[in-house]
Amino acid sequence: MDYYDIIVLVPRTSNHAINLDLSPNGDINPMFSHTLFTSFSVGHTDKLIMSQFREIDRLPPRCIISCEIEQIPDSSIQFQTIFKAHFNDHPNVKIRADQCYMIRLIDLKTASFVNLSGENHFVPSLKIFKGLPHDPLVYGSNELVKRLNREKNGLLRKIAHMGYKLEHLNHMFVFDVDRVGIRVFGAESKADPHHEYYLEYNKHNIMTKEVDVNDFLLKFHQTSASMQQQQQQQQQSPKKDGTN
């Protein structure tokens, strides 16, 4: 696929499939104008992340596009080729070929990016993305996000407090992990206004493998364990009162 090709899988049991009147033979209801308004959000399909944003009355960053669409018939060679090449072994795709419809977004009308503050930024052309480097962590980022959020009261707190001196952050969660750093949304308490924090691994260090990020996270486990051991030794050692 070229850089401007966007392929979307739609679960057969979803309301989206019903609304678009998708069918196995690839015919889109002629009553529709073939214009699909859809949004793609970071973590949108992850129920945990979406619920965490909703708890503080916010939505994750998302791209909103309007365009014409065409359905790729399930029985076509193109369907099988695209699914096998781009979705079959993708760790973030949890659906089989016989459980979804495939649509291609064509004739792009408008595109905009909505950031964490809800500000809508118009994208003049997808050509501006041509040549951008591929993030090597894209396939494992979802699992890293889930892991950090599962341990947000432990590992994530250690990273924010010990590694980045953000001791005031007590309510936080991760919504993205890339080759440069970890994106955290947090505040002093759940009721306070939340802000984005980009925890960069190192100004001159780009992570190219998931194992590199795991090594980075392991340092905080080891540092925390070492500090706890020192505290225990101090508590167990006899206190000197200055007497003979």
Side-chain angles (χ1 to χ4, degrees):
M1 291 189 298
D2 294 329
Y3 67 94
Y4 49 79
D5 284 340
I6 301 177
I7 302 294
V8 178
L9 299 182
V10 182
R12 294 192 178 192
T13 57
S14 72
N15 289 332
H16 301 298
I18 297 173
N19 293 336
L20 293 170
D21 202 15
L22 300 178
S23 61
N25 61 9
D27 293 331
I28 298 178
N29 192 321
M31 293 180 62
F32 286 88
S33 63
H34 297 269
T35 299
L36 169 67
F37 292 91
T38 185
S39 65
F40 299 91
S41 304
V42 175
H44 187 274
T45 57
D46 188 308
K47 294 181 180 180
L48 178 59
I49 294 181
M50 179 56 83
S51 64
Q52 289 171 328
F53 270 103
R54 284 178 171 169
E55 281 183 6
I56 54 176
D57 296 324
R58 301 289 288 272
L59 289 173
R62 57 203 181 277
C63 176
I64 301 176
I65 60 177
S66 62
C67 62
E68 293 183 1
I69 66 170
E70 65 177 7
Q71 183 181 350
I72 300 174
D74 301 7
S75 58
S76 67
I77 296 177
Q78 189 179 24
F79 182 104
Q80 301 301 328
T81 302
I82 292 175
F83 193 92
K84 183 177 181 180
H86 299 283
F87 298 106
N88 195 47
D89 296 323
H90 198 298
N92 298 334
V93 176
K94 308 298 183 183
I95 193 170
R96 301 196 311 266
D98 61 351
Q99 297 175 325
C100 64
Y101 298 118
M102 183 181 291
I103 59 175
R104 184 198 307 273
L105 280 57
I106 59 176
D107 193 12
L108 185 67
K109 303 296 185 182
T110 62
S112 60
F113 174 72
V114 183
N115 62 20
L116 281 167
S117 300
E119 299 171 334
N120 196 331
H121 298 274
F122 178 71
V123 179
S125 172
L126 292 184
K127 291 182 179 180
I128 64 176
F129 300 108
K130 185 176 182 179
L132 288 180
H134 175 77
D135 194 307
L137 296 182
V138 65
Y139 289 144
S141 60
N142 273 14
E143 290 304 318
L144 288 169
V145 168
K146 290 177 182 178
R147 174 187 170 189
L148 287 166
N149 283 333
R150 281 196 302 267
E151 304 178 24
K152 64 180 180 180
N153 291 325
L155 179 58
L156 181 55
R157 186 182 296 271
K158 294 171 188 174
I159 294 173
H161 292 191
M162 297 166 49
Y164 297 87
K165 307 301 181 183
L166 298 173
E167 292 88 352
H168 67 287
L169 292 184
N170 294 311
H171 185 269
M172 58 187 139
F173 60 89
V174 175
F175 67 92
D176 189 30
V177 175
D178 60 25
R179 62 192 181 127
V180 178
I182 302 169
R183 295 186 184 277
V184 174
F185 210 46
E188 186 171 352
S189 70
K190 182 178 177 180
D192 292 324
H194 284 57
H195 301 282
E196 178 185 0
Y197 298 87
Y198 197 15
L199 311 183
E200 297 185 23
Y201 309 120
N202 185 296
K203 290 184 178 180
H204 305 288
N205 192 17
I206 300 297
M207 300 296 186
T208 58
K209 300 178 182 177
E210 188 175 344
V211 66
D212 297 333
V213 181
N214 287 327
D215 290 342
F216 171 80
L217 300 177
L218 182 61
K219 292 190 301 183
F220 293 95
H221 273 303
Q222 294 172 337
T223 302
S224 177
S226 176
M227 292 177 62
Q228 290 178 353
Q229 186 177 10
Q230 291 178 3
Q231 291 175 352
Q232 291 175 354
Q233 291 175 348
Q234 292 174 356
Q235 293 173 354
Q236 294 173 358
S237 61
K239 295 181 179 180
K240 297 181 181 180
D241 55 7
T243 60
N244 295 323

